[in-house]
């Protein structure tokens, strides 16, 4: 158990509304990631963070923003949700301890439906 | 850019062996991972290769050839619980890039 909690786990919203997904970790690891998973595309990186207030874009960052004001929380925001953002969103952490291979540990996922 | 290819689906019989291939063309390489993902669940780590050769872990083995940009995951003595998606991922500095996944169905 890597101590990762995602919330909400399920959300249905309407096009044009803002949505924020939260990823919380209990072990104070430096690296945190947001991926989305869609049939036929696998997991695609949206944004990642390598420390408090240090974030960078992934391959599918358009329409998403992130914030990390404290080590334990990494927030993903859809400013104005669109139907193309209907997906399952996974948060992941990298422990970065001695002998770290770069392995990611995933949260349980947040299923977002945009109507 | 990253290009990671693996078959979409495979079917095998309980007790058999299945080999899932993964080919990659990436801008950087710091290791290759295999993850297992059951339907509706999070991916979980199976194996890691950074040097050429075979890594064995119980019924699962993973092979890497860096010069060929090729890896495979070998599942032996298949069990019904092995029905899942298997994700190939390549590490590039801070992040992992994933293939689309291979859905393995084990039949009795």
């Amino acid at each position: 158990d890597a101590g990762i909690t995602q919330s909400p786990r399920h959300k249905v919203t309407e096009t044009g509304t803002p949505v924020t997904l939260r990823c919380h970790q209990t072990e104070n690891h430096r690296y945190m990631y947001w991926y989305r998973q869609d049939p036929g595309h696998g997991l695609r990186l949206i944004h990642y963070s390598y420390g408090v207030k240090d974030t960078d874009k992934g391959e599918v960052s358009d329409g998403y923003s992130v914030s990390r004001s404290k080590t334990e929380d990494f927030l993903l925001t859809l400013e104005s949700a669109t139907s193309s953002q209907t997906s399952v969103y996974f948060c992941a952490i990298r422990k970065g301890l001695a002998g770290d291979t770069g392995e990611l540990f995933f949260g349980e996922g947040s299923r977002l439906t945009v109507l | 850019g990253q290009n990671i290819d693996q078959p979409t689906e495979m079917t095998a019989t309980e007790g058999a062996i299945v080999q899932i291939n993964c080919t990659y063309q990436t801008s950087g390489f710091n290791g290759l991972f295999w993850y297992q993902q059951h339907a509706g669940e999070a991916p979980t780590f199976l194996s890691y290769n950074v040097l050429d050769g075979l890594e064995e872990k119980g019924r699962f083995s993973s092979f890497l050839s860096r010069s060929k940009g090729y890896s495979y995951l070998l599942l032996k003595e298949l069990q019904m619980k092995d029905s899942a998606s298997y994700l190939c991922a390549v590490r590039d500095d801070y992040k992992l890039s994933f293939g689309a996944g291979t859905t393995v169905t084990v039949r009795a």
Side-chain angles (χ1 to χ4, degrees), chain A residues 1-2 11 15 21 32 37 50-51 55-56 61 67 77 90 97 101 107 109 113-114:
Chain A
D1 183 5
K11 186 172 182 67
T15 298
L21 305 180
M32 299 184 75
Q37 187 172 38
Y50 43 95
T55 65
D56 205 349
S61 59
S67 66
T77 297
F90 284 100
L97 302 174
T101 61
T113 302
V114 184

Side-chain angles (χ1 to χ4, degrees), chain B residues 1 5 9 17-18 39 45 52 56 64 66 78-79 81 89 99 101 107:
Chain B
D5 290 317
E9 295 180 337
I17 298 172
V18 68
F45 170 81
D52 290 352
E56 297 186 86
L64 175 67
R66 289 171 297 170
L78 278 173
Q79 302 176 9
K81 67 178 181 180
R107 294 184 173 167

Side-chain angles (χ1 to χ4, degrees), chain A residues 14-67:
Chain A
E14 295 189 348
T15 298
T17 61
V19 176
T20 295
L21 305 180
R22 180 184 184 230
C23 179
H24 177 79
Q25 58 150 328
T26 60
E27 299 178 355
N28 292 322
H29 296 297
R30 180 180 174 191
Y31 300 98
M32 299 184 75
Y33 304 78
W34 276 108
Y35 285 85
R36 61 176 289 175
Q37 187 172 38
D38 306 288
H41 291 281
L43 286 159
R44 291 181 291 173
L45 182 64
I46 306 171
H47 283 279
Y48 65 100
S49 170
Y50 43 95
V52 173
K53 298 186 179 177
D54 290 324
T55 65
D56 205 349
K57 297 179 180 180
E59 61 181 305
V60 290
S61 59
D62 288 348
Y64 301 95
S65 62
V66 289
S67 66

Side-chain angles (χ1 to χ4, degrees), chain A residues 31 33 35 37 40 42-43 45 48 90 94 101-104 106-107, chain B residues 33 35 37 41-43 45 48 87 91 93-96 98-100:
Chain A
Y31 300 98
Y33 304 78
Y35 285 85
Q37 187 172 38
L43 286 159
L45 182 64
Y48 65 100
F90 284 100
R94 175 182 167 186
T101 61
E103 177 187 347
L104 297 186
F106 287 86
Chain B
F33 295 80
Y35 280 79
Q37 185 178 25
E41 298 182 5
F45 170 81
Y48 169 72
L87 314 178
R91 178 187 161 195
D93 289 335
Y94 299 122
K95 49 193 186 294
L96 295 191
F98 287 81

Side-chain angles (χ1 to χ4, degrees), chain B residues 46-72:
Chain B
L46 280 180
S47 70
Y48 169 72
N49 295 69
V50 66
L51 299 176
D52 290 352
L54 188 69
E55 294 282 342
E56 297 186 86
K57 191 185 293 186
R59 293 188 299 113
F60 293 2
S61 303
S62 57
F63 172 83
L64 175 67
S65 169
R66 289 171 297 170
S67 62
K68 295 182 179 178
Y70 168 70
S71 173
Y72 68 72

